[in-house]
Amino acid sequence: MTPEPLHEVTLTVNHVPHQLRLPARRLLSDALRHDVRLTGTHVGCEHGVCGACTVLLDGQPIRSCLMFAVTADGASITTTEGCLEPDGELGAVQEAFHDCHALQCGFCTPGFITTITAYLETHPNPSEQQAREAIGGNLCRCTGYQNIVAAVLRAAEIKRERSAP
Amino acid sequence: MTTKLFGQRIRRVEDPRLLSGRGRYLDDLGHDALAVAFVRSPHAHARVLDIDVSAALEVEGLVAIFSYDDLDGKTSEPLPLLIPHPALTHGRTPYALAKDEVNHVGEAIVMVVASDRYVAEDVVGLIRVDYELLPPVVGVERARDGGALVHDDVPGNVAATMVQEVGDAAAAIDASPRRQRLQLSIERSASMPMEGKGVLARWDADDESLLVHTSTQTSTSVRQAIAAKLSLPVDRVEVVTPDVGGGFGVKIVHPWPEEILVPWASVRLNRPVKWVEDRREHFISSAHERGQLHDVTVGYGDDGRVTGLSVQFWHDNGAYTPYGLIVPIITSTQLLGPYKPTAYRVEFASLYTNTVMVTPYRGAGRPQGCFVMERVMDAIAADLGLDRALVRERNFIQPDEMPYDHGLTFQDGRPLIYDSGDFPASLSKLKQLVGWDDFAKYRERAAAEGRRVGIGLACYVEGTGVGPYEGGHIRVETDGSVVVSTGLTTQGQGHQTMLAQIVADELGVPMERVRVTTGDTRRFKYAVGTFASRTAVMSGSAVALTARKVRAKALRIASNALEAAVDDLEIVDGHVQVKGSPGSQVDLGAVAVLSNPLRYAFDEAAARATQFATPHDPDQPPVAADDEPGLEGSGFFSPTRSTFANGMHAVVVETDPDTAEVKILRYCVVHDCGTIINPMIVEGQVHGGVAQGIGGALFERMEYDESGQLLNASYMDFLMPYASEIPHIEIDHLETPSPLNPLGVKGAGEAGVIPVSAAIAAAIEDAEGVVITAMPISPSELFDLRRAREQRGEAR
Ligand code: FES
Ligand code: FES
């Protein structure tokens, strides 16, 4: 059988451009994990339900297991690694997860971090109910969500603290 | 003075790494390894007639195709039966690759190794297997009637039957003033961790050694199993558990076929080989649990006191029994909860079906047992018109009866003796937390608004910290850092934090100096595994005892250096000092240097331990006959029996009068796991357990059709709760220390899940006035119960 044709794909991941040659069927999640080798993005179902693979595509949360890498050609992608502060310290959402014990095994966590990071951009001061709804599309089997809800609120607080002059 | 870390809400040391994307789960390793995919049976029961690979051979990137006939030596024998039991007369385990028969959809038949998983799956799609279909046995009823057999040589599909009895239950029930019979059932669910299983094996032909990473709950036992199956010296095999994305029981089973096949292929191909389970594979080829039917007869007095209890139940063990009878044994013993029926008889049959095998899932048989016992309590209360909490109270074992011997044998083969607990105190805390006595008023107010609400409660006792043992090794490095290794594995429970808290306290060092490794056989070879809520009890105690040894050695060495008696020394903040005179001190790193007499000064610290640097007694050897170099030590903890934690849950629900949807308004937990090492972590465990319990009570079930197809084998169709389904959980603690270990701790990992179905069933029953005998319950099932009641002409 003939080898699969490869396509030139440029993915800018956490501000760093990557030139890749990939088969058309390579999932964005696999490209990020195994070609770019940023394994912070996790794959829990590969059918778009769990949200563990959520990354930000030009700022919008998407499920990277439901998109081909070639489709994302030219896009700017943020993964959980890109949610750190520029100096490498934990970002506001990550710090809040640490404070609130919002992760146990940590497998679902990257999808929550990216989702919440994007959410807080447009909802800087959510109520508890809104925080719960904001994470309503991500599955976690460990935490029962209570501490993740608390972490959304705490992250909003940390963001405010950090942006205070 | 160092503040005590034990008991504090310390943020987890695991978090920064996991949060910044630096976690290393199985599929984050071995990017260049060959990838594996399997041809799995599409049929629940069939003979494999022929495997035709001809169409697949030209695929670019294909490396190898293996079927049963390729397996050699012990890899061609059935996988081990991990927990033999005299009652398990007909135990059966699968082959790593199906030999000539498949017994459930998903059983592996052909292993494909290719350049990547995409290609491996292409190949899988091109392999043709011919089958002769056999009649499938699905569900307990079909298994029980024995019309069709799963295994030809297992008559009646019965893997085991077992009876335990204290007193004469039948006579006691006959003599009771009141009697009831209940038929109760629980359906299948599964652990369903967010990360599936996975194995990476790297054979080093030059070194003749094998390094295996696997997402397991027991690396030490996987190591032994791989060495045995591959006929390698154990010494040449190491197994490492990387970060694990949740286990909840399913990863304690081992060796999975893939844990043998992947290393075997790596040796055979002399290449790194990796298999990562996808979600569908996890549904159809890992393990499930919970499916049981129960037939219960209870005799009781007019005061609600149980005088005799007889339980017969049928346990669906799926196609194979590698984990023995653990789940039904736990149901049959832990069913008793905090109560003491005077006479008790339990009998179960463990039955084969053509479905995925059944092994422990968090709670492990306890949710079923708790459901049975708590339904009995509610039925008694309903019959007598008594308050449900009162009936429970009247049946409680009292604190002054501890330790309480039930006269039964527990899952560890040891007597079922509760070590401690204060059930009346727990119940009164719970009643207060949920407002039990005021609920009638709330119900009236809600009714006036046209709303239906109900309250339920459920109590459980959980045997935790099961033996035989765990151990630990602690070494103080010359820079004063402390390296702790324990052999059991971790799947997100915060073990590194919890163990570091213990060691830091015991040694007197700041917690930041302590690093903990788990589940790496290169670091610690002796362990059992992570299951049965045992890490805090077993490894916690082991590292505490080990730290005490290391501390004693540090004091001994420092007493020479400081020329002070051992009894006058203390360790504070990483320094050994003379009590009351902190000016006279030596830091633990320096003590570590002195503990290891050296010839060569490879660094500055080492120079202090060389032969011309230290004063010594020329008539004594540098290392005393009964001593060893290094400030380090190993220790083990092996308790005589399990320690029994307990808890009580209360839940308030509202049911929709039209759609019969169930909404949880409040969820309250009183939890007693002995002394608490880190309340934040314990509460997190309770939250997660309750969430899984709610899933099992209202949403999750394995929908097998009669041909044995699992109809909902995806996250789209198997409904795990999202944040919108889980309420805020209110927790209160009671701390009744265990007398069975040096820390007074009891396990906490599984607790949250145990009483949830029982409590929710009671609350729905209370709201609706229909009797609930089966869980989980969906809105349409509740709707049907309502309709049936209306047809009988009963009022709500
Ligand atoms: S892995 Fe993409 S949604 Fe689950
Ligand atoms: S922390 Fe384990 S799945 Fe969410």
Side-chain angles (χ1 to χ4, degrees):
Chain A
M1 277 182 201
T2 47
E4 283 183 276
L6 300 179
H7 304 266
E8 302 278 344
V9 181
T10 304
L11 300 177
T12 301
V13 186
N14 306 330
H15 306 298
V16 180
H18 296 264
Q19 317 273 328
L20 306 168
R21 287 172 58 76
L22 300 173
R25 63 176 173 171
R26 190 110 173 128
L27 297 175
L28 178 57
S29 50
D30 284 336
L32 290 170
R33 291 177 44 72
H34 300 302
D35 299 309
V36 180
R37 301 219 169 163
L38 285 174
T39 54
T41 301
H42 296 159
V43 171
C45 69
E46 284 185 296
H47 48 252
V49 183
C50 73
C53 67
T54 305
V55 299
L56 307 183
L57 189 88
D58 297 326
Q60 292 304 311
I62 59 119
R63 312 233 140 161
S64 62
C65 73
L66 291 185
M67 184 180 275
F68 294 119
V70 289
T71 316
D73 185 25
S76 167
I77 293 163
T78 308
T79 67
T80 195
E81 291 94 336
C83 296
L84 293 165
E85 296 291 339
D87 63 1
E89 291 296 303
L90 294 181
V93 181
Q94 293 160 329
E95 187 71 32
F97 267 59
H98 189 31
D99 284 351
C100 299
H101 185 32
L103 69 158
Q104 289 182 24
C105 77
F107 199 78
C108 68
T109 309
F112 280 94
I113 300 290
T114 48
T115 301
I116 296 165
T117 299
Y119 176 77
L120 291 177
E121 286 299 312
T122 47
H123 304 77
N125 193 11
S127 68
E128 176 165 345
Q129 187 53 33
Q130 287 169 327
R132 202 170 265 280
E133 281 161 19
I135 58 163
N138 290 57
L139 282 173
C140 171
R141 194 59 162 167
C142 295
T143 64
Y145 305 104
Q146 186 158 325
N147 292 346
I148 302 181
V149 173
V152 176
L153 304 177
R154 174 81 185 114
E157 202 174 274
I158 295 175
K159 271 190 83 161
R160 282 194 295 275
E161 287 164 15
R162 288 190 184 174
S163 64
Chain B
M1 190 64 210
T2 321
T3 44
K4 202 160 155 57
L5 299 164
F6 196 105
Q8 302 289 317
R9 293 177 176 271
I10 309 262
R11 294 192 304 176
R12 304 196 322 169
V13 299
E14 294 85 342
D15 292 351
R17 205 171 54 79
L18 299 180
L19 283 164
S20 50
R22 286 184 288 118
R24 286 295 174 268
Y25 302 83
L26 194 281
D27 192 35
D28 303 342
L29 310 167
H31 293 289
D32 300 317
L34 297 174
V36 169
F38 289 93
V39 176
R40 297 184 182 276
S41 173
H43 303 297
H45 199 190
R47 243 181 279 290
V48 177
L49 300 179
D50 184 49
I51 299 169
D52 179 2
V53 300
S54 52
L57 296 176
E58 298 303 310
V59 174
E60 174 93 10
L62 170 64
V63 175
I65 300 176
F66 299 116
S67 64
Y68 175 81
D69 291 337
D70 298 300
L71 299 178
D72 48 19
K74 295 206 173 80
T75 58
S76 67
E77 295 171 8
L79 295 172
L81 201 163
L82 290 170
I83 308 184
H85 190 286
L88 183 56
T89 51
H90 292 75
R92 294 291 178 274
T93 58
Y95 292 92
L97 290 170
K99 189 175 178 197
D100 38 32
E101 186 176 322
V102 282
N103 283 304
H104 65 87
V105 170
E107 189 161 353
I109 301 170
V110 182
M111 178 194 201
V112 173
V113 187
S115 53
D116 72 24
R117 175 78 182 218
Y118 292 72
V119 175
E121 289 188 23
D122 289 347
V123 173
V124 165
L126 293 169
I127 293 173
R128 221 192 113 88
V129 181
D130 285 338
Y131 302 91
E132 176 197 338
L133 299 190
L134 299 168
V137 179
V138 181
V140 168
E141 288 93 344
R142 291 269 291 283
R144 197 164 55 180
D145 79 26
L149 295 182
V150 175
H151 303 285
D152 289 343
D153 56 350
V154 180
N157 295 310
V158 179
T161 56
M162 189 172 164
V163 181
Q164 291 208 64
E165 182 159 20
V166 254
D168 185 342
I173 293 166
D174 278 345
S176 301
R178 307 188 78 88
R179 284 182 285 280
Q180 286 198 63
R181 182 159 173 210
L182 294 84
Q183 315 261 354
L184 301 164
S185 67
I186 295 271
E187 291 200 43
R188 270 190 185 207
S189 183
S191 303
M192 215 42 74
M194 294 298 295
E195 180 206 31
K197 306 196 303 298
V199 187
L200 166 66
R202 288 179 270 206
W203 171 247
D204 183 333
D206 300 324
D207 191 49
E208 292 185 18
S209 66
L210 181 65
L211 177 62
V212 178
H213 285 74
T214 176
S215 188
T216 183
Q217 292 175 224
T218 173
S219 42
T220 43
S221 197
V222 171
R223 171 176 180 251
Q224 302 281 348
I226 291 172
K229 280 287 181 193
L230 270 52
S231 300
L232 290 169
V234 182
D235 177 48
R236 306 316 294 159
V237 180
E238 300 290 359
V239 174
V240 181
T241 309
D243 289 316
V244 173
F248 314 115
V250 66
K251 295 177 183 176
I252 190 63
V253 181
H254 65 281
W256 287 97
E258 299 86 358
E259 283 174 324
I260 299 302
L261 294 168
V262 171
W264 175 82
S266 177
V267 175
R268 187 150 169 157
L269 301 169
N270 195 17
R271 301 271 299 274
V273 179
K274 178 164 80 167
W275 167 75
V276 178
E277 186 178 60
D278 71 21
R279 189 50 55 185
R280 180 170 164 76
E281 286 185 290
H282 189 78
F283 270 98
I284 63 172
S285 69
S286 285
H288 303 159
E289 203 228 293
R290 302 275 198 260
Q292 280 179 188
L293 300 186
H294 313 80
D295 186 342
V296 186
T297 311
V298 59
Y300 51 100
D302 294 318
D303 58 353
R305 178 91 177 75
V306 175
T307 46
L309 179 67
S310 175
V311 178
Q312 183 173 16
F313 72 95
W314 293 268
H315 169 81
D316 172 358
N317 62 228
Y320 301 106
T321 50
Y323 215 74
L325 299 174
I326 291 300
V327 172
I329 289 176
I330 293 178
T331 298
S332 53
T333 46
Q334 297 260 269
L335 184 147
L336 295 170
Y339 313 112
K340 43 172 184 187
T342 323
Y344 173 56
R345 180 180 193 278
V346 61
E347 171 176 3
F348 69 78
S350 190
L351 302 172
Y352 287 106
T353 58
N354 289 112
T355 58
V356 170
M357 68 184 190
V358 166
T359 65
Y361 155 38
R362 193 183 207 165
R366 294 177 188 88
Q368 299 94 310
C370 181
F371 179 68
V372 167
M373 195 68 196
E374 296 297 307
R375 292 282 65 206
V376 165
M377 288 293 153
D378 287 336
I380 293 172
D383 175 41
L384 298 173
L386 290 175
D387 175 54
R388 289 170 289 167
L390 179 66
V391 170
R392 286 170 169 83
E393 225 168 284
R394 288 189 176 156
N395 283 287
F396 277 160
I397 297 163
Q398 297 300 311
D400 61 10
E401 294 175 275
M402 297 288 176
Y404 186 85
D405 187 347
H406 275 290
L408 300 169
T409 303
F410 191 44
Q411 63 147 325
D412 51 5
R414 295 180 172 244
L416 181 73
I417 301 175
Y418 295 173
D419 50 331
S420 64
D422 187 341
F423 307 136
S426 290
L427 183 62
S428 84
K429 261 181 185 271
L430 182 71
K431 282 169 69 177
Q432 184 142 26
L433 183 61
V434 74
W436 181 262
D437 292 332
D438 299 329
F439 189 76
K441 274 185 245 143
Y442 175 74
R443 187 204 307 276
E444 268 170 40
R445 282 201 307 277
E449 295 163 8
R451 296 164 53 215
R452 294 182 190 180
V453 296
I455 191 169
L457 89 164
C459 315
Y460 68 92
V461 170
E462 181 199 1
T464 70
V466 171
Y469 72 87
E470 284 300 331
H473 179 265
I474 298 177
R475 183 173 58 248
V476 179
E477 304 282 15
T478 52
D479 65 359
S481 63
V482 178
V483 182
V484 182
S485 313
T486 187
L488 57 60
T489 62
T490 192
Q491 304 88 38
Q493 302 93 329
H495 292 154
Q496 293 174 349
T497 305
M498 177 270 287
L499 295 171
Q501 283 177 251
I502 294 172
V503 171
D505 268 354
E506 294 284 349
L507 268 184
V509 300
M511 192 167 144
E512 308 78 69
R513 289 218 203 146
V514 183
R515 281 202 317 272
V516 178
T517 304
T518 58
D520 183 339
T521 64
R522 297 170 302 184
R523 305 288 298 279
F524 200 81
K525 301 257 188 270
Y526 290 94
V528 185
T530 299
F531 59 95
S533 307
R534 67 194 294 278
T535 304
V537 179
M538 303 300 301
S539 279
S541 299
V543 300
L545 296 174
T546 306
R548 289 173 197 179
K549 276 196 206 172
V550 174
R551 182 173 190 278
K553 181 163 186 181
L555 293 182
R556 180 161 51 77
I557 295 167
S559 83
N560 285 337
L562 295 172
E563 292 174 357
V566 165
D567 286 347
D568 292 335
L569 298 178
E570 60 182 357
I571 309 183
V572 176
D573 233 9
H575 299 273
V576 188
Q577 63 187 38
V578 179
K579 281 179 198 161
S581 75
S584 173
Q585 62 166 227
V586 49
D587 104 7
L588 271 184
V591 178
V593 170
L594 298 176
S595 74
N596 181 21
L598 292 173
R599 184 166 182 82
Y600 308 115
F602 43 78
D603 65 12
E604 234 172 274
R608 284 183 282 160
T610 50
Q611 51 273 44
F612 301 107
T614 47
H616 52 263
D617 181 344
D619 297 327
Q620 294 299 324
V623 177
D626 58 351
D627 206 358
E628 291 172 9
L631 184 48
E632 62 181 323
S634 298
F636 291 85
F637 176 67
S638 181
T640 37
R641 291 189 302 279
S642 299
T643 170
F644 289 81
N646 72 85
M648 304 185 183
H649 293 193
V651 58
V652 177
V653 303
E654 175 167 356
T655 54
D656 187 294
D658 299 321
T659 63
E661 272 170 289
V662 176
K663 184 169 165 36
I664 298 173
L665 301 180
R666 286 187 66 202
Y667 202 101
C668 298
V669 174
V670 170
H671 184 246
D672 185 351
C673 60
T675 47
I676 296 179
I677 303 166
N678 185 329
M680 183 189 79
I681 288 177
V682 168
E683 285 164 15
Q685 290 296 309
V686 172
H687 293 165
V690 169
Q692 281 180 319
I694 290 172
L698 297 175
F699 309 107
E700 298 169 12
R701 67 183 80 206
M702 293 293 169
E703 295 274 9
Y704 274 103
D705 72 6
E706 58 193 24
S707 64
Q709 294 294 335
L710 185 56
L711 301 178
N712 61 341
S714 83
Y715 277 171
M716 249 168 292
D717 303 308
F718 177 83
L719 304 177
M720 295 195 333
Y722 286 95
S724 43
E725 280 75 53
I726 303 300
H728 186 84
I729 297 158
E730 301 161 60
I731 302 178
D732 196 359
H733 298 282
L734 192 72
E735 296 189 53
T736 315
S738 170
L740 298 180
N741 63 70
L743 303 173
V745 298
K746 303 178 176 188
E750 295 170 276
V753 81
I754 296 169
V756 185
S757 276
I760 291 180
I764 296 173
E765 186 169 286
D766 187 45
E768 290 280 327
V770 295
V771 176
I772 303 210
T773 58
M775 291 294 269
I777 185 163
S778 66
S780 54
E781 285 163 331
L782 180 56
F783 190 82
D784 289 344
L785 287 176
R786 273 182 189 168
R787 215 164 36 188
R789 185 196 54 219
E790 280 155 18
Q791 280 163 3
R792 290 194 304 269
E794 291 167 26
R796 197 171 76 82

